[in-house]
Amino acid sequence: MDMVTRMVNEKPVVIFSKSECCICFSIQTLICGFGTNPTVYELDQIPNGPQIERALQQLGCQPTVPAVFIGQRLVGGPNQVMSLHVQNELGPLLVRAGAIWLWKKK
């Protein structure tokens, strides 16, 4: 878990993903659509990916990808991110994390 904490520390948005995962791609696209530039770790393309995946499981991520951290806090997976988006809470959360400067509520 310390490994994951170090990876998300001082970054406004971090997404743990896998390159072949279409849900991961959709969540990345949604978050980038707000004008963010998230740090994305593709767990199937980095040497310590399996270790990070186990650490995400210990944090309660089920499934382990995509796992989204905003403002160094675990938001969760696709269901949690989409719920925030539908409730118009994702934009303000990104602003508070310093990932974007402005957000206009629709």
Side-chain angles (χ1 to χ4, degrees), residues 24 26 31-32 48-49 53 59 63 67 75 81 84 88 92 95 102 106:
C24 296
S26 297
I31 290 174
C32 288
N48 59 346
E53 197 164 359
L59 288 172
V75 171
V81 172
L84 288 170
N88 284 321
V95 170
L102 298 170
K106 294 181 181 179

Side-chain angles (χ1 to χ4, degrees), residues 44-62:
D44 58 338
Q45 295 182 352
I46 57 177
N48 59 346
Q51 295 166 306
I52 296 167
E53 197 164 359
R54 283 192 296 277
L56 290 169
Q57 284 177 328
Q58 291 175 349
L59 288 172
C61 296
Q62 292 294 334

Side-chain angles (χ1 to χ4, degrees):
M1 285 189 273
D2 290 338
M3 181 184 340
V4 172
T5 303
R6 284 192 305 273
M7 294 173 86
V8 302
N9 206 16
E10 298 180 20
K11 294 181 177 94
V13 181
V14 175
I15 303 172
F16 292 95
S17 177
K18 288 190 177 177
S19 59
E20 300 289 323
C21 173
C22 61
I23 301 286
C24 296
F25 178 78
S26 297
I27 293 298
Q28 289 176 41
T29 302
L30 171 68
I31 290 174
C32 288
F34 281 88
T36 65
N37 187 20
T39 300
V40 179
Y41 294 104
E42 300 287 355
L43 298 183
D44 58 338
Q45 295 182 352
I46 57 177
N48 59 346
Q51 295 166 306
I52 296 167
E53 197 164 359
R54 283 192 296 277
L56 290 169
Q57 284 177 328
Q58 291 175 349
L59 288 172
C61 296
Q62 292 294 334
T64 54
V65 294
V68 178
F69 288 77
I70 298 176
Q72 294 79 40
R73 188 181 129 252
L74 175 62
V75 171
N79 291 342
Q80 292 82 6
V81 172
M82 290 304 297
S83 292
L84 288 170
H85 180 56
V86 168
Q87 297 168 12
N88 284 321
E89 295 175 8
L90 185 56
L93 185 60
L94 292 168
V95 170
R96 284 193 302 274
I100 56 175
W101 293 99
L102 298 170
W103 180 73
K104 184 177 179 180
K105 188 174 181 177
K106 294 181 181 179

